Amino acid sequence: MATTETIETLKHLVRCAREDTAVLDVESMKFFKAWLIEDLKATIPPPKAPPTSVNMDDPELMTPDSDVAHTMGPEQPKETLSDDEEAKMIAAKEAAAEAVAAEKYDEAIEKYTEAVVIAPSALTYAKRAECFIKLRKPNAAIRDCDAALKINPDSAKALKIRGAAQRYLGQYAAANADLSKGLQIDFDEHYGDIHKAVLSRVHEMHVAEGKARAQKEAEAKAKAAEARARAAADAANAANAAGSGMPGSGMPGGGMPGGGMPGGMPNVPPEMLEKLTSDPELMKAMQNPKVMQAMQAMMSNPMAAMQYMSDPEVGPVLQKLMGLFGGGMPGGMGGMGGMPGGMGGMPGGFGGGAPPSANANDVD
């Protein structure tokens, strides 16, 4: 049966692999990776990409450690210690403190381990975690801080040390959360300086992410606009090439593919056609045979617009078309000037009116 220490080691390995599968590419772990793939038919995700440019500019980042987990204390410690156990725990803590003062962090870790095995506490785990940071082992520090916070969720020391470890791994958002909470409980200048650096990195990341998001959106809009323009140009070419003869009517001018816009509108610029095709109401109106008939009639005789302007079905469509094209109509139907006989003021416009009739007094 697996011991508590073995299970904790396995848990640590799983946590590291979830964080980055690169840990399985270490020489000592290749047998385990082969077992996962060959025997369990597991699919191993690729290792994480190298850090972003923001991370790469951070000279204080540490290489993630993947050492075997150190011994943890019992999950259910004794409620009371014997005199001998208590004496050993106190002696181990004192020896650990002396080793820290002498900057002998490996020795301090061994002594703190002896203490947590006897009686684990949030403070002891946090102190051992601090030694791991000194040895540039942020993952080990995070593991000890997790254990400390399980015992005491408000351990300021554990929160601050875990925040620092996350900062050295480039996990700035998580570092900001832990450091903010820990410093709120118990502020100290050392971790306050670390928090300032983290806040600067968080800001840089937000700016970089915002720029990347804006660029992506701009590229998507540009592609969409290009696709619309290309579709409009293709539709215009198809309409111009359709020839004459509206389907089922015998009228001059073919229909635009897919129905809707009447044909017979030569030389319609793509941007104008795009305006038409992007207006759902206009496209629906163009499905009305009466509207199409009016359009065809006006193609051959712009003055025919007068008889359709008062039509409840056709008039609103003509008004909207003239508004859309600034008073003109697509397909060469120019602005409607004053009507012959002094009938000016007609809204919108089709052709500049019929030429005036010859004066009766004129002679050939």
Side-chain angles (χ1 to χ4, degrees):
M1 178 176 288
T3 63
T4 301
E5 182 177 349
T6 303
I7 293 174
E8 287 300 324
T9 301
L10 184 57
K11 285 181 179 179
H12 173 60
L13 173 61
V14 171
R15 282 194 295 266
C16 290
R18 282 177 174 168
E19 179 67 25
D20 189 350
T21 56
V23 69
L24 300 177
D25 292 326
V26 177
E27 186 65 34
S28 60
M29 293 301 301
K30 286 187 176 179
F31 81 96
F32 185 63
K33 184 176 182 179
W35 175 69
L36 291 173
I37 295 173
E38 296 171 8
D39 294 357
L40 300 185
K41 309 300 181 186
T43 301
I44 309 296
K48 285 186 177 179
T52 64
S53 57
V54 174
N55 288 353
M56 292 175 67
D57 292 339
D58 188 347
E60 295 186 34
L61 289 182
M62 297 179 180
T63 302
D65 52 299
S66 55
D67 296 348
V68 175
H70 279 67
T71 303
M72 309 294 283
E75 293 186 4
Q76 295 181 340
K78 296 179 180 179
E79 294 183 3
T80 57
L81 299 176
S82 66
D83 292 342
D84 182 55
E85 288 172 329
E86 187 169 355
K88 286 182 179 180
M89 180 190 66
I90 293 173
K93 288 182 179 181
E94 290 175 350
E98 291 175 3
V100 169
E103 298 185 357
K104 298 178 180 178
Y105 300 113
D106 283 316
E107 181 179 333
I109 289 171
E110 291 180 9
K111 294 302 178 180
Y112 280 132
T113 301
E114 292 178 13
V116 297
V117 168
I118 297 172
S121 70
L123 183 59
T124 305
Y125 275 128
K127 288 182 176 180
R128 189 172 75 168
E130 203 163 26
C131 293
F132 283 126
I133 291 289
K134 295 292 186 180
L135 295 176
R136 302 181 66 83
K137 295 182 177 182
N139 280 327
I142 290 173
R143 184 181 67 253
D144 271 9
C145 289
D146 287 345
L149 292 167
K150 187 175 181 180
I151 297 172
N152 177 14
D154 294 323
S155 171
K157 190 174 185 68
L159 285 166
K160 291 183 287 187
I161 294 171
R162 187 171 71 176
Q166 290 162 337
R167 177 261 179 278
Y168 295 129
L169 289 171
Q171 300 168 5
Y172 302 114
N176 181 36
D178 277 348
L179 286 168
S180 295
K181 186 176 179 180
L183 290 169
Q184 187 176 4
I185 297 171
D186 177 33
F187 180 83
D188 70 72
E189 189 172 346
H190 172 68
Y191 288 103
D193 289 341
I194 293 176
H195 192 213
K196 288 179 183 178
V198 167
L199 289 174
S200 176
R201 294 290 172 178
V202 169
H203 174 70
E204 290 177 15
M205 290 180 67
H206 286 170
V207 171
E209 289 170 0
K211 288 181 178 179
R213 184 166 53 251
Q215 182 179 355
K216 188 175 181 180
E217 290 175 356
E219 290 174 354
K221 288 180 180 178
K223 287 182 179 179
E226 182 182 352
R228 287 195 301 269
R230 188 164 52 248
D234 291 344
N237 292 336
N240 292 335
S244 60
M246 190 177 79
S249 68
M251 289 188 174
M256 193 179 83
M261 287 297 299
M265 292 187 178
N267 303 319
V268 178
E271 61 272 15
M272 288 189 176
L273 188 59
E274 183 179 2
K275 286 184 179 181
L276 292 172
T277 57
S278 62
D279 189 317
E281 292 184 6
L282 276 178
M283 293 304 295
K284 183 178 180 180
M286 293 302 175
Q287 303 286 340
N288 187 339
K290 191 172 183 180
V291 173
M292 294 176 68
Q293 182 179 357
M295 294 291 289
Q296 293 291 342
M298 289 184 289
M299 288 289 183
S300 57
N301 179 18
M303 299 306 298
M306 293 182 59
Q307 72 184 76
Y308 291 110
M309 292 300 291
S310 59
D311 189 290
E313 293 182 62
V314 181
V317 179
L318 298 182
Q319 291 282 5
K320 188 164 188 177
L321 283 170
M322 289 187 287
L324 187 64
F325 293 101
M329 291 288 286
M333 299 173 68
M336 187 174 187
M339 295 295 293
M343 292 179 64
M346 285 296 290
F350 298 94
S357 357
N359 193 304
N361 295 324
D362 289 343
V363 292
D364 192 7

